[in-house]
């Protein structure tokens, strides 16, 4: 089944892009395709400068592990590991030896410094979400994809997480974030409005009100 149609987008280093649109419009699918998690049936995807069609499955896996961060809509934490171990493992997989202090700093940056030893199942949805964000950031990906990273957070925690993502967008990094929150989208550089599997509109630094209206119009 074809889910996305005629999508052509480019994200540059140093850009913070958000993807908005009604439920079922293809936002998560777009992120999966861009991140090499879902193959495309036609067209091409270039990830960190490499056409992924030219890579084997294991090469794609390696590229993702080393250069790409992904915060899933459903968090995907490993239940048998503690919060700290979940964060640590991702960096290890990416071949980074992370000093203890850095893990502490990343937990602190998402407000989870006192939850390092907790198991994911004992955390609230928002705390699990923040663990997933710390885990993705600690590996220092060139590009971070985040599927509704503030979906389970209250307004204050959500604002902090957007600030954190904003900070990670340095010259060598990019963040692509799906969100339902017009306020969050308005804090990004560019907003893609999806509708029925297409990029229906693209807005540069819009106001939250403009994003809200555009999503309403796309529904
Ligand atoms: N694995 C799949 N197989 C078949 N269809 C799928 C699959 N995943 C998603 N779809 C369909 O693709 C469309 C887009 O789904 P997608 O999850 O990308 O939407 P979304 O914009 O992220 O929605 P939401 O805001 O609810 O998360 C939907 O119609 C969905 O039913
Ligand atoms: Mg989705």
């Amino acid at each position: 089944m074809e889910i996305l149609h005629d999508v052509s987008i480019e994200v540059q280093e140093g850009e913070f892009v958000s993807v908005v649109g009604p439920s079922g419009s293809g936002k998560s699918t777009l992120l999966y395709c861009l991140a090499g998690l879902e193959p495309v049936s036609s067209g091409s995807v270039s990830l960190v400068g490499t056409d992924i069609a030219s890579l084997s499955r294991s090469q794609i896996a390696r590229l993702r592990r080393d250069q790409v961060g992904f915060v899933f809509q459903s968090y995907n934490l490993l239940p048998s590991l503690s919060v700290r171990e979940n964060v640590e493992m991702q960096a290890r997989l990416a071949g980074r030896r992370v000093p203890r202090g850095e893990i502490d700093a990343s937990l602190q940056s998402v407000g989870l410094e006192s939850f390092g030893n907790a198991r994911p199942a004992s955390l609230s949805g928002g705390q699990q979400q923040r663990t997933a964000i710390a885990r993705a950031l600690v590996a220092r990906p060139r590009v971070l994809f985040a599927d509704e990273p503030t979906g389970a957070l209250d307004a204050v925690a959500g604002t902090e997480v957007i600030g954190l993502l904003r900070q990670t967008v340095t010259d060598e990094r990019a963040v692509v974030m799906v969100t339902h929150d017009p306020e969050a989208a308005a804090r990004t550089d560019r907003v893609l409005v999806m509708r029925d599997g297409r990029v229906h509109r693209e807005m540069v630094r819009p106001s939250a009100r403009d994003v809200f209206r555009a999503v309403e119009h796309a529904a």
Side-chain angles (χ1 to χ4, degrees):
M1 189 176 84
E2 194 173 300
I3 294 173
L4 301 174
H5 330 272
D6 299 326
V7 174
S8 176
I9 65 165
E10 194 172 332
V11 178
Q12 301 287 340
E13 291 172 338
E15 254 195 314
F16 189 2
V17 174
S18 54
V19 181
V20 302
S23 184
S25 60
K27 304 180 298 294
S28 294
T29 306
L30 176 65
L31 237 55
Y32 289 166
C33 290
L34 295 177
L37 289 165
E38 187 85 63
V40 293
S41 49
S42 62
S44 67
V45 175
S46 170
L47 184 60
V48 200
T50 309
D51 179 355
I52 58 178
S54 70
L55 303 178
S56 66
R57 283 170 75 101
S58 63
Q59 285 172 319
I60 294 175
R62 201 171 317 137
L63 178 69
R64 281 209 319 267
R65 185 193 67 191
D66 297 341
Q67 319 245 30
V68 179
F70 206 105
V71 177
F72 290 92
Q73 197 164 3
S74 50
Y75 324 134
N76 289 11
L77 300 175
L78 293 171
S80 61
L81 300 183
S82 70
V83 163
R84 160 177 286 279
E85 288 162 343
N86 262 282
V87 171
E88 211 168 5
M89 205 194 66
Q90 189 77 15
R92 283 222 186 127
L93 283 177
R96 283 200 66 220
R97 226 179 239 278
V98 188
R100 202 182 158 81
E102 209 173 303
I103 304 281
D104 289 336
S106 86
L107 289 176
Q108 197 168 5
S109 72
V110 293
L112 289 178
E113 57 277 16
S114 47
F115 292 88
N117 296 323
R119 305 276 153 194
S122 70
L123 303 179
S124 72
Q127 288 167 333
Q128 292 181 47
Q129 188 153 43
R130 284 182 280 155
T131 304
I133 292 164
R135 179 179 65 172
L137 288 179
V138 85
R140 302 221 180 128
R142 294 282 303 282
V143 51
L144 176 74
F145 296 100
D147 199 348
E148 306 215 24
T150 62
L153 304 180
D154 62 32
V156 173
T159 302
E160 275 173 22
V161 162
I162 299 296
L164 191 67
L165 295 179
R166 174 93 258 172
Q167 262 176 41
T168 69
V169 182
T170 60
D171 288 345
E172 305 98 52
R173 256 171 254 195
V175 174
V176 184
M177 166 182 81
V178 170
T179 182
H180 270 118
D181 178 5
E183 299 279 349
R187 292 182 61 197
T188 65
D189 301 319
R190 192 148 59 93
V191 181
L192 308 175
V193 185
M194 300 282 298
R195 177 187 190 175
D196 299 333
R198 294 171 199 275
V199 178
H200 169 66
R201 243 184 109 177
E202 196 170 326
M203 306 162 94
V204 176
R205 293 197 165 276
S207 67
R209 202 184 167 78
D210 289 341
V211 176
F212 181 78
R213 285 214 187 105
V215 175
E216 237 183 6
H217 184 71

